[in-house]
Amino acid sequence: MTLNLRLLATLCGALSLCALLAVPGNFTGLGGDARLTLAVFALATCAWIATPVDTYIALGAGLALTVTGVISSDTLFGTLGDSTVWLLICAFVLAAAVTRTGLSGRAAAFLVGGARTVRQLVHLTTAALVVTAFAVPATSGRAALALPVFLALAKALADRRRLVVMLALLFPTVILLSAVATLIGAGAHLITVSVLWQATGDRIGFTEWLLLGLPLAVASSHLAAEAVLLTTTRRADRKGAVRITAAEIQEHSERPVAGPWSQAEKRCALLLGTVVLLWCSEPLHRVPPAVVALIGAVVAASPALGTVRLKDALGTVPWALLLFMAATMAMGVALADSGAAKWLVAGLPVGVSPLLFLGVVIAVSTAAHLVLQSRSARSSVLVPLVVAAAVGAGVNPVAAALASTAAAGFCHTLPASAKPVTLFSDLPGTPTYTPRDLLRLSAVLAPLTAGLVLLFAVVVWPVLGVPVTR
């Protein structure tokens, strides 16, 4: 009944706005294309809030904008050929090769096996999860990859229930917050990059994102690890020593996690290291990240040197996410080109301080997961408006867009707020967290992460070349 009321309320709100937009005398200064764009945008946003079919809604919105002539068919279909889409496809092929060889299990056994105290275990696990952002795109894929490692840890610590619950909460928390480390960490990042390029002409490459996002990912992940540890366990739980062996992790891995490396593992590790190195050194060789990823994907799936068949690797690509990204990119183009985004932010107060502007953007982006559960949908709605508002307020749109996207990575309040949180919240036979645990953590972590993003936007990113104002 609650869902039906929510759906009815959002639908009534969207239809009321569309009716107001249809009256020519309302909203003077708003052209026909802008009115159509705002109507489609409002309906899509309300549908995203009320239903879980994100991709279908995005495609319908893109099609509506094309049929009404707001954007051309070339614009709609051309987004599928965007370099960021190809980057994500190839990154998933590389991730399939890494998963097939079992390199992730070896890395987990190596790092976690060195822990001797509870705090060491927490921070070594956090470090390992941050590193996976370079190997596996999308938070849901990283969560699935990390699940066997958690189950092994849970079995080894079966007599210490609170520690198992703490680790169950730690894994999705770090996976979500560390995604900001790389451009391929989440589809929302690629949407942000595309919106910035379309609206301002500013292009953020893999190296630039790494320079800005990795320090934030490391800081927020380890800060969150401490928050999880302190809110979930007691002092007595943290006193005892821990000892996790490779044999215990091996029980939950189909591939060897110790012993000599196979030739396939060596080739895959070399390939992955080379690709990441080329991504990071883009300013030196000027080869676009998407081209580097395509070369890596071709090698990873080649009959002679590869470790996975191309057909199997392409089966791991989230095509629905790619279609969603392409459609929302087209919506972003319509918002910018029609003048709708500029009109939406025209009434905002002028002369507000950059610190206040960024604070409001970060606060809204942090809380947005309570309304829009899809991370990509949040960026699709927020980033075009944030960029347009930043230009009008005299704030650097790159800083504002990055701050909004980073803050939107917080989505821990409810089990349904993010797929990794959902995955680790229901594990038969294994103790895990409750909704109350999530609420307790969110009450502490939400202001901490929002404050950290604001600190980076105002203090750290200007040192790294992204000033607060232009």
Side-chain angles (χ1 to χ4, degrees):
M1 183 67 179
T2 303
L3 180 61
N4 290 335
L5 289 175
R6 182 183 179 186
L7 179 61
L8 181 62
T10 53
L11 181 61
C12 289
L15 291 177
S16 298
L17 178 60
C18 291
L20 290 173
L21 289 169
V23 178
N26 293 333
F27 312 119
T28 57
L30 198 60
D33 285 352
R35 290 174 183 270
L36 285 170
T37 300
L38 286 177
V40 171
F41 191 75
L43 288 171
T45 301
C46 291
W48 280 329
I49 293 172
T51 65
V53 286
D54 298 335
T55 302
Y56 185 83
I57 294 165
L59 287 174
L63 184 60
L65 291 171
T66 303
V67 170
T68 55
V70 177
I71 58 175
S72 66
S73 59
D74 289 341
T75 299
L76 177 65
F77 297 129
T79 54
L80 279 172
D82 190 271
S83 61
T84 55
V85 173
W86 278 93
L87 175 62
L88 195 60
I89 292 173
C90 298
F92 270 99
V93 173
L94 287 168
V98 172
T99 304
R100 181 66 62 90
T101 60
L103 283 175
S104 56
R106 283 190 181 273
F110 174 76
L111 285 172
V112 176
R116 296 296 178 267
T117 66
V118 173
R119 184 163 267 108
Q120 284 181 355
L121 175 63
V122 167
H123 286 283
L124 286 173
T125 301
T126 298
L129 291 172
V130 172
V131 171
T132 61
F134 295 91
V136 182
T139 53
S140 56
R142 292 168 62 205
L145 185 69
L147 183 59
V149 177
F150 164 73
L151 293 175
L153 295 177
K155 184 176 181 181
L157 299 169
D159 58 335
R160 303 170 72 175
R161 188 180 186 280
R162 285 185 182 274
L163 292 188
V164 175
V165 173
M166 179 272 295
L167 288 173
L169 193 51
L170 176 71
F171 271 71
T173 297
V174 175
I175 286 170
L176 289 167
L177 293 179
S178 62
V180 74
T182 70
L183 182 59
I184 61 173
H189 302 170
L190 303 179
I191 292 172
T192 298
V193 169
S194 175
V195 170
L196 275 172
W197 171 250
Q198 299 283 355
T200 67
D202 293 313
R203 172 75 78 175
I204 301 179
F206 187 93
T207 307
E208 290 82 5
W209 192 289
L210 182 69
L211 180 65
L212 300 168
L214 181 58
L216 175 59
V218 172
S220 61
S221 296
H222 285 280
L223 179 66
E226 281 294 322
V228 170
L229 183 63
L230 295 177
T231 58
T232 313
T233 63
R234 299 169 182 170
R235 182 173 296 179
D237 300 321
R238 301 190 290 270
K239 280 186 176 179
V242 295
R243 174 68 175 172
I244 310 297
T245 65
E248 290 169 324
I249 296 179
Q250 181 67 72
E251 292 179 10
H252 292 271
S253 176
E254 298 178 357
R255 303 287 178 179
V257 298
W261 286 36
S262 67
Q263 289 299 318
E265 288 175 318
K266 293 178 181 178
R267 291 197 306 270
C268 189
L270 179 60
L271 175 61
L272 181 62
T274 302
V275 168
V276 173
L277 180 62
L278 290 174
W279 277 341
C280 296
S281 58
E282 179 193 355
L284 298 177
H285 54 70
R286 299 294 180 183
V287 179
V291 175
V292 171
L294 181 57
I295 295 171
V298 169
V299 174
S302 65
L305 301 174
T307 58
V308 64
R309 293 191 308 169
L310 183 60
K311 179 181 179 181
D312 296 334
L314 291 176
T316 67
V317 177
W319 297 105
L321 172 62
L322 296 178
L323 290 173
F324 176 87
M325 286 173 49
T328 52
M329 287 177 190
M331 291 175 63
V333 172
L335 278 170
D337 291 352
S338 68
K342 185 177 180 180
W343 180 87
L344 278 174
V345 300
L348 294 178
V350 179
V352 298
S353 71
L355 183 63
L356 176 61
F357 179 86
L358 289 173
V360 171
V361 166
I362 291 169
V364 171
S365 300
T366 301
H369 71 282
L370 297 174
V371 179
L372 286 167
Q373 294 181 350
S374 167
R375 190 171 186 166
S376 297
R378 291 198 294 276
S379 289
S380 301
V381 172
L382 291 174
V383 173
L385 303 181
V386 167
V387 169
V391 173
V395 176
N396 185 355
V398 176
L402 286 174
S404 174
T405 305
F410 175 84
C411 38
H412 303 67
T413 307
L414 301 170
S417 294
K419 291 179 182 177
V421 180
T422 304
L423 177 63
F424 280 85
S425 67
D426 184 17
L427 299 171
T430 303
T432 187
Y433 47 85
T434 64
R436 179 176 294 181
D437 294 322
L438 281 174
L439 290 173
R440 183 168 56 246
L441 174 64
S442 295
V444 175
L445 195 55
L448 283 178
T449 54
L452 187 63
V453 172
L454 183 60
L455 176 67
F456 267 73
V458 174
V459 178
V460 180
W461 289 343
V463 177
L464 299 176
V466 181
V468 175
T469 59
R470 279 188 159 177

